Amino acid sequence: MDVLETSFPPSNATFRNDISDHVLKPLLEFLSKSESYFFVDVYPFFAWASDPININLDYALFKSKYIRVTDPGTGLVYSNLFDQMIDAVYFALNRLGYPKVPIFIAETGWPNSGDSNQFGANIYNAATYNRNFIKKVTKKPAIGTPLRPGVVLQSFLFSLFNENQKLGPGTERHFGLFYPNGKIIYDIDLSGGVWNNSTRNNSTRKRWCVVANGANVKLVANALSYACAQGNGICDLIQPGKKCYKPNSVLWAASYAFSSYWAQFKKTGGTCYFNGLATQTSKDPSKCFCFLLCFQNCHFFIQKLLV
């Protein structure tokens, strides 16, 4: 998408002046003659993250039921950011004289985690975006976009595994459907069917999510910051002055945050994992100290009391 000089409204989209003539025109001429695709990486996450005040998150996640964006130049109405971005490329192709070159989605996806300041990068949003995206592009008959209704969008979803050795911001290492060890991050039906979690979590026994024994405290602190950054009141009750606040205890706070996060997001794909720093327990931590359920297992508290 960086090849575009402007992308909003879509009907105003143009390719960048510095590459339009000597890079894109020869490329598109070749693609046109060879009847090939123009491959595009489309990441609504980055567009939303660059302007979260003016771009609604639900609009970026294919969740907007009532949000509609109208292109004043064409009157076309958009219900999601992905379609808006794709049509911007179509308009740019038209403007350069190659309206018949088809688009292939080379990469799209949403990060399941990131740095503590990268809001919106979490398992819930990743599962929501990818499930909704797959439903869109596998629907029959094809939906297409407002500018090209009914056109099939050939697509690759990025990516299969989290790339734990990749450099850059935290999101760069967290676009996978699986952890590097092969454990699934969230359930997803790549055929476009309705996701059903009945094959997993089929136990009715209540469970909590706490810091795993032997976890690195520094890494736990980073995971705590990430969990709290997801908002939704996850860490409200461990703030100073609140009923579950305990000063100078990262493990204490992290266990609360992990369980609070998991309780909110597990039905939509959230896991009790946190890069191996968390584990599940069937022992109700609320019976040990805080009545709100979410800190550490009883064995942890007994050890601390004995010390």
Side-chain angles (χ1 to χ4, degrees):
M1 297 300 296
D2 288 341
V3 298
L4 296 179
E5 184 75 32
T6 180
S7 61
F8 184 82
S11 61
N12 283 351
T14 58
F15 289 116
R16 282 168 33 196
N17 291 330
D18 60 326
I19 59 174
S20 178
D21 289 336
H22 69 281
V23 175
L24 289 171
K25 272 191 175 180
L27 170 63
L28 293 170
E29 181 65 23
F30 171 76
L31 297 178
S32 179
K33 290 180 177 180
S34 61
E35 298 183 352
S36 188
Y37 292 91
F38 186 53
F39 284 80
V40 186
D41 296 347
V42 184
Y43 286 101
F45 168 75
F46 292 114
W48 167 80
S50 68
D51 191 10
I53 295 177
N54 294 310
I55 301 176
N56 184 279
L57 179 59
D58 285 351
Y59 185 70
L61 293 171
F62 298 97
K63 284 179 58 181
S64 58
K65 295 182 179 179
Y66 308 107
I67 300 171
R68 297 294 182 268
V69 175
T70 301
D71 187 320
T74 61
L76 294 174
V77 179
Y78 295 88
S79 61
N80 63 80
L81 183 56
F82 176 85
D83 283 352
Q84 184 181 310
M85 295 170 73
I86 291 298
D87 275 1
V89 179
Y90 278 135
F91 276 110
L93 290 170
N94 291 345
R95 191 159 278 118
L96 206 56
Y98 295 92
K100 295 184 179 181
V101 173
I103 288 177
F104 196 120
I105 310 305
E107 292 183 16
T108 192
W110 195 282
N112 56 66
S113 185
D115 297 327
S116 60
N117 63 342
Q118 292 184 296
F119 304 110
N122 57 57
I123 292 174
Y124 173 80
N125 288 342
T128 300
Y129 177 84
N130 285 337
R131 289 170 187 160
N132 287 337
F133 171 75
I134 290 171
K135 288 178 185 177
K136 173 184 172 61
V137 297
T138 57
K139 194 172 181 64
K140 296 180 180 179
I143 300 173
T145 67
L147 181 61
R148 300 284 177 87
V151 172
V152 175
L153 282 172
Q154 304 285 354
S155 307
F156 286 119
L157 189 66
F158 186 86
S159 61
L160 187 59
F161 290 98
N162 276 354
E163 300 174 284
N164 61 319
Q165 296 185 38
K166 196 172 184 179
L167 303 178
T171 50
E172 290 296 303
R173 293 177 287 282
H174 293 93
F175 273 90
L177 303 180
F178 293 85
Y179 294 107
N181 65 2
K183 182 177 180 181
I184 193 168
I185 300 174
Y186 53 86
D187 288 291
I188 190 166
D189 186 341
L190 296 175
S191 71
V194 177
W195 173 71
N196 188 328
N197 68 346
S198 61
T199 58
R200 303 179 75 209
N201 302 325
N202 55 5
S203 173
T204 58
R205 189 179 185 186
K206 187 135 181 146
R207 300 188 69 80
W208 291 265
C209 182
V210 296
V211 173
N213 289 334
N216 181 287
V217 176
K218 184 176 180 180
L219 296 179
V220 169
N222 292 335
L224 168 63
S225 297
Y226 166 77
C228 291
Q230 305 314 308
N232 293 347
I234 286 175
C235 294
D236 285 359
L237 293 180
I238 54 174
Q239 302 305 310
K242 299 296 184 179
K243 62 181 66 178
C244 288
Y245 173 68
K246 183 177 176 65
N248 304 319
S249 180
V250 172
L251 298 179
W252 182 282
S255 284
Y256 176 93
F258 291 175
S259 268
S260 182
Y261 173 93
W262 194 45
Q264 291 194 40
F265 296 140
K266 63 183 175 182
K267 289 184 178 179
T268 50
T271 63
C272 176
Y273 186 71
F274 290 91
N275 289 332
L277 300 172
T279 187
Q280 296 181 33
T281 178
S282 59
K283 296 179 181 179
D284 184 350
S286 65
K287 295 179 180 179
C288 302
F289 189 81
C290 179
F291 74 91
L292 286 170
L293 78 76
C294 295
F295 289 121
Q296 186 61 286
N297 58 43
C298 292
H299 178 67
F300 171 79
F301 288 114
I302 292 171
Q303 281 186 321
K304 289 297 180 182
L305 290 172
L306 288 175
V307 172

